[in-house]
Amino acid sequence: MRPLAAGRGAAAVGLCAVLVLAPRSAAAFEGRTAQQASSGCDLVDLTSNAALRSDGSMDVVEVQTFEFTGTCHGGIRQLSPPGATDATDTLGATRYTLPYLTVTENGAPVPIAAQRPGYVKWGSASVLVSGRHVYELRYRIDRAVFVAPDTAVLYWQFVGDQFGDLPHVLIRIIAPGPGLRIFGHGILEGVSSVRGNQATLEVNGNPAGSPVEARLLMPRTQFANVPAAGPPLAAEILAAEATLANTANEERVALREQLAREEEAERQRLADRERLARIGNWFSVLMAPAVLAGWVLVWRRW
């Protein structure tokens, strides 16, 4: 996984480097929707609005927009428990309790087929849905923010590696105050930015199996009621993110060079085709008198 590129107004390094999958301690989402298992059940947009509270909790409103063609019943969303991966980068991670999720459409509750902490399956087995449907999922994660002596950290995976292709992903994180530094991890084309007390991650065309996560640094004073724990983290996190950024930049350079080579090869191919076409035209012009003479001779002989 790679850090996202910094957009305009970004108050921190937005990255794109290789990174281990999100630590589940900051809420790694393994959400696979039932619709993604079959055609005609496409999740076309995922927008998450997360609000951080001064007690370290986070309220999330996730909006999922589907285009159905009458072959699906609803959806599935699952949050992964802490420690569900062997990720080694746990800087700023916390341990949290899986919550129950609620699902509504147009403000009204939808039928729930199955539910447990961190998991919800909605829809009715006897009803097929079609057209555009917009579902709103809500949940709260306690202890989402880790407070160190020198910084507060949210390390959170908003899109897990079990999602299918997502045409558009938008994540907004509202902190109690300004002074944020956002590090978004995902594909190279993603963008991260900070304006005031809001951090934003956005990805267009997120491929299947590509997580999108955020590591957000905030002044620890915004969480004054949360006791600080462990050693200082800011310097270590910044060093880790710088390493990831360098890796991403190297990959970007390699991709640009590869693209330049491919473009040059394509230009050469087109130039060769044009040259052959010109040669063919000249050959036709030169051969025309000979063909005409041959035809006259044949005609006369006939």
PDB file of all heavy atoms in Angstrom, residues 72-97:
ATOM      1  N   CYS A  72     -29.675  -8.393  -6.890  1.00  0.00           N
ATOM      2  CA  CYS A  72     -29.127  -8.330  -5.529  1.00  0.00           C
ATOM      3  C   CYS A  72     -30.236  -8.046  -4.514  1.00  0.00           C
ATOM      4  O   CYS A  72     -31.294  -7.533  -4.843  1.00  0.00           O
ATOM      5  CB  CYS A  72     -28.056  -7.252  -5.442  1.00  0.00           C
ATOM      6  SG  CYS A  72     -26.723  -7.473  -6.619  1.00  0.00           S
ATOM      7  N   HIS A  73     -29.922  -8.353  -3.281  1.00  0.00           N
ATOM      8  CA  HIS A  73     -30.888  -8.185  -2.197  1.00  0.00           C
ATOM      9  C   HIS A  73     -30.521  -7.033  -1.261  1.00  0.00           C
ATOM     10  O   HIS A  73     -31.401  -6.471  -0.620  1.00  0.00           O
ATOM     11  CB  HIS A  73     -30.983  -9.474  -1.380  1.00  0.00           C
ATOM     12  CG  HIS A  73     -31.365 -10.670  -2.194  1.00  0.00           C
ATOM     13  ND1 HIS A  73     -32.675 -10.980  -2.498  1.00  0.00           N
ATOM     14  CD2 HIS A  73     -30.601 -11.615  -2.783  1.00  0.00           C
ATOM     15  CE1 HIS A  73     -32.705 -12.076  -3.235  1.00  0.00           C
ATOM     16  NE2 HIS A  73     -31.469 -12.485  -3.427  1.00  0.00           N
ATOM     17  N   GLY A  74     -29.251  -6.713  -1.141  1.00  0.00           N
ATOM     18  CA  GLY A  74     -28.810  -5.693  -0.202  1.00  0.00           C
ATOM     19  C   GLY A  74     -27.305  -5.649  -0.138  1.00  0.00           C
ATOM     20  O   GLY A  74     -26.632  -5.733  -1.157  1.00  0.00           O
ATOM     21  N   GLY A  75     -26.759  -5.531   1.059  1.00  0.00           N
ATOM     22  CA  GLY A  75     -25.317  -5.418   1.199  1.00  0.00           C
ATOM     23  C   GLY A  75     -24.809  -6.011   2.492  1.00  0.00           C
ATOM     24  O   GLY A  75     -25.586  -6.393   3.379  1.00  0.00           O
ATOM     25  N   ILE A  76     -23.496  -6.062   2.594  1.00  0.00           N
ATOM     26  CA  ILE A  76     -22.819  -6.565   3.786  1.00  0.00           C
ATOM     27  C   ILE A  76     -21.686  -5.612   4.130  1.00  0.00           C
ATOM     28  O   ILE A  76     -20.976  -5.146   3.244  1.00  0.00           O
ATOM     29  CB  ILE A  76     -22.241  -7.978   3.574  1.00  0.00           C
ATOM     30  CG1 ILE A  76     -23.351  -9.000   3.345  1.00  0.00           C
ATOM     31  CG2 ILE A  76     -21.374  -8.400   4.761  1.00  0.00           C
ATOM     32  CD1 ILE A  76     -22.838 -10.389   2.997  1.00  0.00           C
ATOM     33  N   ARG A  77     -21.517  -5.338   5.408  1.00  0.00           N
ATOM     34  CA  ARG A  77     -20.380  -4.526   5.867  1.00  0.00           C
ATOM     35  C   ARG A  77     -19.795  -5.183   7.097  1.00  0.00           C
ATOM     36  O   ARG A  77     -20.526  -5.536   8.027  1.00  0.00           O
ATOM     37  CB  ARG A  77     -20.834  -3.105   6.194  1.00  0.00           C
ATOM     38  CG  ARG A  77     -19.667  -2.157   6.498  1.00  0.00           C
ATOM     39  CD  ARG A  77     -18.834  -1.928   5.255  1.00  0.00           C
ATOM     40  NE  ARG A  77     -17.948  -0.796   5.373  1.00  0.00           N
ATOM     41  CZ  ARG A  77     -16.635  -0.895   5.622  1.00  0.00           C
ATOM     42  NH1 ARG A  77     -16.092  -2.081   5.812  1.00  0.00           N
ATOM     43  NH2 ARG A  77     -15.887   0.186   5.677  1.00  0.00           N
ATOM     44  N   GLN A  78     -18.489  -5.348   7.090  1.00  0.00           N
ATOM     45  CA  GLN A  78     -17.816  -5.980   8.226  1.00  0.00           C
ATOM     46  C   GLN A  78     -16.601  -5.168   8.628  1.00  0.00           C
ATOM     47  O   GLN A  78     -15.790  -4.779   7.787  1.00  0.00           O
ATOM     48  CB  GLN A  78     -17.395  -7.409   7.876  1.00  0.00           C
ATOM     49  CG  GLN A  78     -16.692  -8.124   9.025  1.00  0.00           C
ATOM     50  CD  GLN A  78     -16.477  -9.595   8.725  1.00  0.00           C
ATOM     51  OE1 GLN A  78     -17.169 -10.168   7.887  1.00  0.00           O
ATOM     52  NE2 GLN A  78     -15.526 -10.198   9.407  1.00  0.00           N
ATOM     53  N   LEU A  79     -16.468  -4.905   9.912  1.00  0.00           N
ATOM     54  CA  LEU A  79     -15.291  -4.251  10.467  1.00  0.00           C
ATOM     55  C   LEU A  79     -14.396  -5.330  11.065  1.00  0.00           C
ATOM     56  O   LEU A  79     -14.886  -6.229  11.744  1.00  0.00           O
ATOM     57  CB  LEU A  79     -15.675  -3.242  11.555  1.00  0.00           C
ATOM     58  CG  LEU A  79     -16.803  -2.264  11.232  1.00  0.00           C
ATOM     59  CD1 LEU A  79     -17.006  -1.304  12.406  1.00  0.00           C
ATOM     60  CD2 LEU A  79     -16.508  -1.492   9.965  1.00  0.00           C
ATOM     61  N   SER A  80     -13.126  -5.226  10.802  1.00  0.00           N
ATOM     62  CA  SER A  80     -12.215  -6.250  11.310  1.00  0.00           C
ATOM     63  C   SER A  80     -11.856  -5.985  12.765  1.00  0.00           C
ATOM     64  O   SER A  80     -11.686  -4.841  13.177  1.00  0.00           O
ATOM     65  CB  SER A  80     -10.943  -6.284  10.472  1.00  0.00           C
ATOM     66  OG  SER A  80     -11.237  -6.727   9.181  1.00  0.00           O
ATOM     67  N   PRO A  81     -11.718  -7.039  13.547  1.00  0.00           N
ATOM     68  CA  PRO A  81     -11.319  -6.863  14.951  1.00  0.00           C
ATOM     69  C   PRO A  81      -9.854  -6.499  15.057  1.00  0.00           C
ATOM     70  O   PRO A  81      -9.073  -6.724  14.122  1.00  0.00           O
ATOM     71  CB  PRO A  81     -11.574  -8.246  15.552  1.00  0.00           C
ATOM     72  CG  PRO A  81     -11.410  -9.184  14.394  1.00  0.00           C
ATOM     73  CD  PRO A  81     -11.938  -8.446  13.199  1.00  0.00           C
ATOM     74  N   PRO A  82      -9.430  -5.943  16.187  1.00  0.00           N
ATOM     75  CA  PRO A  82      -8.014  -5.631  16.387  1.00  0.00           C
ATOM     76  C   PRO A  82      -7.170  -6.898  16.273  1.00  0.00           C
ATOM     77  O   PRO A  82      -7.584  -7.983  16.645  1.00  0.00           O
ATOM     78  CB  PRO A  82      -7.965  -5.060  17.807  1.00  0.00           C
ATOM     79  CG  PRO A  82      -9.360  -4.616  18.085  1.00  0.00           C
ATOM     80  CD  PRO A  82     -10.251  -5.561  17.338  1.00  0.00           C
ATOM     81  N   GLY A  83      -5.968  -6.729  15.721  1.00  0.00           N
ATOM     82  CA  GLY A  83      -5.060  -7.852  15.630  1.00  0.00           C
ATOM     83  C   GLY A  83      -5.409  -8.844  14.549  1.00  0.00           C
ATOM     84  O   GLY A  83      -4.906  -9.968  14.547  1.00  0.00           O
ATOM     85  N   ALA A  84      -6.246  -8.451  13.572  1.00  0.00           N
ATOM     86  CA  ALA A  84      -6.667  -9.380  12.531  1.00  0.00           C
ATOM     87  C   ALA A  84      -5.684  -9.447  11.375  1.00  0.00           C
ATOM     88  O   ALA A  84      -5.974  -9.994  10.341  1.00  0.00           O
ATOM     89  CB  ALA A  84      -8.039  -8.980  12.000  1.00  0.00           C
ATOM     90  N   THR A  85      -4.531  -8.851  11.508  1.00  0.00           N
ATOM     91  CA  THR A  85      -3.513  -8.882  10.463  1.00  0.00           C
ATOM     92  C   THR A  85      -2.144  -8.976  11.102  1.00  0.00           C
ATOM     93  O   THR A  85      -1.979  -8.743  12.300  1.00  0.00           O
ATOM     94  CB  THR A  85      -3.591  -7.612   9.593  1.00  0.00           C
ATOM     95  OG1 THR A  85      -2.600  -7.705   8.554  1.00  0.00           O
ATOM     96  CG2 THR A  85      -3.297  -6.370  10.404  1.00  0.00           C
ATOM     97  N   ASP A  86      -1.151  -9.335  10.292  1.00  0.00           N
ATOM     98  CA  ASP A  86       0.212  -9.419  10.810  1.00  0.00           C
ATOM     99  C   ASP A  86       0.992  -8.141  10.536  1.00  0.00           C
ATOM    100  O   ASP A  86       2.216  -8.138  10.482  1.00  0.00           O
ATOM    101  CB  ASP A  86       0.947 -10.615  10.195  1.00  0.00           C
ATOM    102  CG  ASP A  86       1.023 -10.527   8.677  1.00  0.00           C
ATOM    103  OD1 ASP A  86       0.448  -9.575   8.113  1.00  0.00           O
ATOM    104  OD2 ASP A  86       1.667 -11.413   8.075  1.00  0.00           O
ATOM    105  N   ALA A  87       0.279  -7.034  10.346  1.00  0.00           N
ATOM    106  CA  ALA A  87       0.928  -5.767  10.046  1.00  0.00           C
ATOM    107  C   ALA A  87       1.963  -5.426  11.117  1.00  0.00           C
ATOM    108  O   ALA A  87       1.734  -5.600  12.304  1.00  0.00           O
ATOM    109  CB  ALA A  87      -0.124  -4.662   9.956  1.00  0.00           C
ATOM    110  N   THR A  88       3.104  -4.916  10.662  1.00  0.00           N
ATOM    111  CA  THR A  88       4.174  -4.572  11.597  1.00  0.00           C
ATOM    112  C   THR A  88       4.212  -3.086  11.915  1.00  0.00           C
ATOM    113  O   THR A  88       4.844  -2.681  12.885  1.00  0.00           O
ATOM    114  CB  THR A  88       5.527  -5.002  11.018  1.00  0.00           C
ATOM    115  OG1 THR A  88       5.707  -4.368   9.733  1.00  0.00           O
ATOM    116  CG2 THR A  88       5.582  -6.511  10.847  1.00  0.00           C
ATOM    117  N   ASP A  89       3.586  -2.258  11.101  1.00  0.00           N
ATOM    118  CA  ASP A  89       3.553  -0.819  11.351  1.00  0.00           C
ATOM    119  C   ASP A  89       2.329  -0.515  12.205  1.00  0.00           C
ATOM    120  O   ASP A  89       1.210  -0.426  11.704  1.00  0.00           O
ATOM    121  CB  ASP A  89       3.485  -0.067  10.029  1.00  0.00           C
ATOM    122  CG  ASP A  89       3.524   1.439  10.226  1.00  0.00           C
ATOM    123  OD1 ASP A  89       3.474   1.890  11.387  1.00  0.00           O
ATOM    124  OD2 ASP A  89       3.593   2.165   9.230  1.00  0.00           O
ATOM    125  N   THR A  90       2.538  -0.357  13.489  1.00  0.00           N
ATOM    126  CA  THR A  90       1.431  -0.101  14.411  1.00  0.00           C
ATOM    127  C   THR A  90       1.571   1.252  15.106  1.00  0.00           C
ATOM    128  O   THR A  90       0.953   1.477  16.143  1.00  0.00           O
ATOM    129  CB  THR A  90       1.357  -1.211  15.478  1.00  0.00           C
ATOM    130  OG1 THR A  90       2.603  -1.251  16.197  1.00  0.00           O
ATOM    131  CG2 THR A  90       1.099  -2.563  14.838  1.00  0.00           C
ATOM    132  N   LEU A  91       2.360   2.155  14.541  1.00  0.00           N
ATOM    133  CA  LEU A  91       2.579   3.454  15.165  1.00  0.00           C
ATOM    134  C   LEU A  91       1.280   4.249  15.223  1.00  0.00           C
ATOM    135  O   LEU A  91       0.708   4.598  14.193  1.00  0.00           O
ATOM    136  CB  LEU A  91       3.641   4.245  14.397  1.00  0.00           C
ATOM    137  CG  LEU A  91       5.050   3.659  14.395  1.00  0.00           C
ATOM    138  CD1 LEU A  91       5.960   4.452  13.453  1.00  0.00           C
ATOM    139  CD2 LEU A  91       5.618   3.651  15.816  1.00  0.00           C
ATOM    140  N   GLY A  92       0.800   4.503  16.400  1.00  0.00           N
ATOM    141  CA  GLY A  92      -0.435   5.244  16.574  1.00  0.00           C
ATOM    142  C   GLY A  92      -1.666   4.376  16.619  1.00  0.00           C
ATOM    143  O   GLY A  92      -2.786   4.891  16.680  1.00  0.00           O
ATOM    144  N   ALA A  93      -1.497   3.060  16.577  1.00  0.00           N
ATOM    145  CA  ALA A  93      -2.640   2.162  16.598  1.00  0.00           C
ATOM    146  C   ALA A  93      -3.189   2.022  18.019  1.00  0.00           C
ATOM    147  O   ALA A  93      -2.469   2.178  18.996  1.00  0.00           O
ATOM    148  CB  ALA A  93      -2.238   0.793  16.064  1.00  0.00           C
ATOM    149  N   THR A  94      -4.466   1.724  18.103  1.00  0.00           N
ATOM    150  CA  THR A  94      -5.111   1.499  19.392  1.00  0.00           C
ATOM    151  C   THR A  94      -5.854   0.176  19.358  1.00  0.00           C
ATOM    152  O   THR A  94      -5.990  -0.455  18.313  1.00  0.00           O
ATOM    153  CB  THR A  94      -6.124   2.611  19.720  1.00  0.00           C
ATOM    154  OG1 THR A  94      -7.209   2.533  18.785  1.00  0.00           O
ATOM    155  CG2 THR A  94      -5.488   3.984  19.648  1.00  0.00           C
ATOM    156  N   ARG A  95      -6.350  -0.233  20.489  1.00  0.00           N
ATOM    157  CA  ARG A  95      -7.220  -1.396  20.554  1.00  0.00           C
ATOM    158  C   ARG A  95      -8.631  -0.895  20.853  1.00  0.00           C
ATOM    159  O   ARG A  95      -8.849  -0.112  21.759  1.00  0.00           O
ATOM    160  CB  ARG A  95      -6.750  -2.383  21.627  1.00  0.00           C
ATOM    161  CG  ARG A  95      -5.370  -2.963  21.348  1.00  0.00           C
ATOM    162  CD  ARG A  95      -5.106  -4.189  22.185  1.00  0.00           C
ATOM    163  NE  ARG A  95      -5.995  -5.295  21.849  1.00  0.00           N
ATOM    164  CZ  ARG A  95      -5.787  -6.126  20.829  1.00  0.00           C
ATOM    165  NH1 ARG A  95      -4.741  -5.973  20.043  1.00  0.00           N
ATOM    166  NH2 ARG A  95      -6.627  -7.123  20.595  1.00  0.00           N
ATOM    167  N   TYR A  96      -9.573  -1.346  20.075  1.00  0.00           N
ATOM    168  CA  TYR A  96     -10.925  -0.836  20.176  1.00  0.00           C
ATOM    169  C   TYR A  96     -11.905  -2.000  20.252  1.00  0.00           C
ATOM    170  O   TYR A  96     -11.556  -3.152  20.021  1.00  0.00           O
ATOM    171  CB  TYR A  96     -11.265   0.033  18.960  1.00  0.00           C
ATOM    172  CG  TYR A  96     -11.128  -0.705  17.650  1.00  0.00           C
ATOM    173  CD1 TYR A  96     -12.212  -1.355  17.084  1.00  0.00           C
ATOM    174  CD2 TYR A  96      -9.901  -0.760  16.991  1.00  0.00           C
ATOM    175  CE1 TYR A  96     -12.091  -2.057  15.898  1.00  0.00           C
ATOM    176  CE2 TYR A  96      -9.764  -1.451  15.799  1.00  0.00           C
ATOM    177  CZ  TYR A  96     -10.858  -2.102  15.262  1.00  0.00           C
ATOM    178  OH  TYR A  96     -10.721  -2.800  14.087  1.00  0.00           O
ATOM    179  N   THR A  97     -13.128  -1.675  20.584  1.00  0.00           N
ATOM    180  CA  THR A  97     -14.191  -2.668  20.655  1.00  0.00           C
ATOM    181  C   THR A  97     -15.098  -2.524  19.446  1.00  0.00           C
ATOM    182  O   THR A  97     -15.506  -1.416  19.088  1.00  0.00           O
ATOM    183  CB  THR A  97     -15.021  -2.479  21.940  1.00  0.00           C
ATOM    184  OG1 THR A  97     -14.155  -2.596  23.074  1.00  0.00           O
ATOM    185  CG2 THR A  97     -16.118  -3.519  22.028  1.00  0.00           C
TER     186      THR A  97
END
